[in-house]
Amino acid sequence: MAAWKQGLRRVLYPAYEARVVRRLPPERIPHHVGVMLDGNRRWARSVGADTAHGHRAGAANIEPLLGWCEEIGVEVVTLWLLSTDNLNRPDAELTELLGIIGDVVESLAAQARWRINPVGALDLLPSPVAERLKTAAESTREVDGIWVNVAVGYGGRREIADAVRSLLHEHAGRGTTLEELAEVIDVEHIAEHLYTKGQPDPDLVIRTSGEQRLGGFLLWQSAQSEFYFCEAYWPDFRRVDFLRAVRAYAARERRFGS
């Protein structure tokens, strides 16, 4: 029965997906999509595999996602691959995970389809891993494609702290006193020092695995974002799930706090 259902889905889903794409209003396509790629370890347990297998399966689903984003005209994608909290995982698991992240980022860069932009506290990562991310970014600096932020060693609170620290250093270099800075500082000054400076804030944030919390993802930037929570673990996240998320976003009336 399961095989019969899968076969039916393979026949029906492409037509269903094509219809969803046709009905998406062009003016309501999100410019920036943030994705919390959650559930790799739980997916691995559900199929009786080890953790590394789950991370590799999750990594394999990143390129298809970027293709789906290209298809509908998304301009910026932020992928949360590793949080600052994840850096506390057991050494063996963390070493393997960082290797998988480095491999997938290099693979994306090698295609020269997307502009890779590491976001996160790279100083917290092992030097070889940080260098792999920086090299991928440099090699795609001139690519005219989707801007792909790879959030590795990323935490929203750390980002805001880093932004304030960078702002203070900048003004100290200009000779600005703290009193003078306190008189003029506003949200835009801080935004100019975020990891994503110069980019639009995310319109849509997707989290897989059924969890319904931000967990520190793009805390500053997502103040006006729409959120979509999907039950599927990240390795099982499909094109139809992505299109449903975008369709739900397009159907909402964004109020921006009004």
Side-chain angles (χ1 to χ4, degrees):
M1 180 65 71
W4 178 83
K5 287 183 178 179
Q6 290 177 357
L8 186 61
R9 287 172 180 164
R10 282 195 294 269
V11 172
L12 296 180
Y13 272 7
Y16 170 70
E17 292 166 355
R19 186 177 64 183
V20 173
V21 171
R22 286 196 304 270
R23 293 184 177 181
L24 287 175
E27 71 279 6
R28 288 181 175 266
I29 298 297
H31 298 289
H32 181 173
V33 176
V35 187
M36 306 171 71
L37 288 63
D38 196 19
N40 291 338
R41 295 196 295 177
R42 280 170 284 168
W43 178 87
R45 287 194 295 269
S46 74
V47 299
D50 62 15
T51 297
H53 181 69
H55 292 316
R56 283 191 292 269
N61 207 24
I62 291 174
E63 183 180 330
L65 170 71
L66 297 180
W68 306 333
C69 290
E70 279 181 326
E71 176 188 9
I72 65 169
V74 174
E75 299 168 0
V76 182
V77 179
T78 299
L79 307 170
W80 199 7
L81 303 182
L82 185 79
S83 72
T84 49
D85 291 337
N86 294 156
L87 295 172
N88 297 320
R89 289 183 178 179
D91 288 344
E93 179 185 349
L94 182 59
T95 298
E96 189 144 29
L97 175 53
L98 288 171
I100 292 169
I101 289 172
D103 289 344
V104 70
V105 171
E106 287 180 345
S107 175
L108 296 176
Q111 298 187 48
R113 287 172 63 187
W114 308 294
R115 183 174 179 180
I116 307 299
N117 181 47
V119 296
L122 298 188
D123 57 300
L124 298 181
L125 304 177
S127 295
V129 177
E131 285 304 315
R132 295 180 77 179
L133 299 179
K134 292 175 184 177
T135 299
E138 180 59 28
S139 69
T140 60
R141 188 163 54 90
E142 302 300 329
V143 172
D144 184 18
I146 291 179
W147 194 308
V148 181
N149 297 317
V150 288
V152 183
Y154 176 87
R157 290 178 175 177
R158 172 67 186 250
E159 178 181 23
I160 295 169
D162 282 350
V164 173
R165 187 179 301 110
S166 174
L167 176 65
L168 291 174
H169 280 309
E170 178 187 290
H171 281 271
R174 297 178 183 174
T176 309
T177 67
L178 287 178
E179 290 77 12
E180 290 171 336
L181 180 58
E183 288 294 321
V184 300
I185 190 171
D186 60 21
V187 294
E188 292 305 319
H189 288 107
I190 296 175
E192 289 168 0
H193 291 265
L194 295 171
Y195 300 148
T196 58
K197 57 183 176 290
Q199 301 179 9
D201 288 339
D203 303 293
L204 170 65
V205 174
I206 300 170
R207 181 166 190 165
T208 58
S209 86
E211 299 286 349
Q212 297 190 23
R213 53 190 171 84
L214 273 181
F217 184 52
L218 300 176
L219 288 178
W220 182 283
Q221 299 92 327
S222 64
Q224 303 292 345
S225 301
E226 298 292 328
F227 297 92
Y228 184 88
F229 301 104
C230 178
E231 292 295 323
Y233 295 137
W234 170 247
D236 283 336
F237 188 75
R238 306 159 298 171
R239 180 171 179 257
V240 68
D241 299 313
F242 172 73
L243 293 175
R244 284 169 175 164
V246 175
R247 180 178 64 184
Y249 165 83
R252 296 177 189 177
E253 181 182 352
R254 302 190 70 191
R255 299 181 182 277
F256 299 101
S258 63

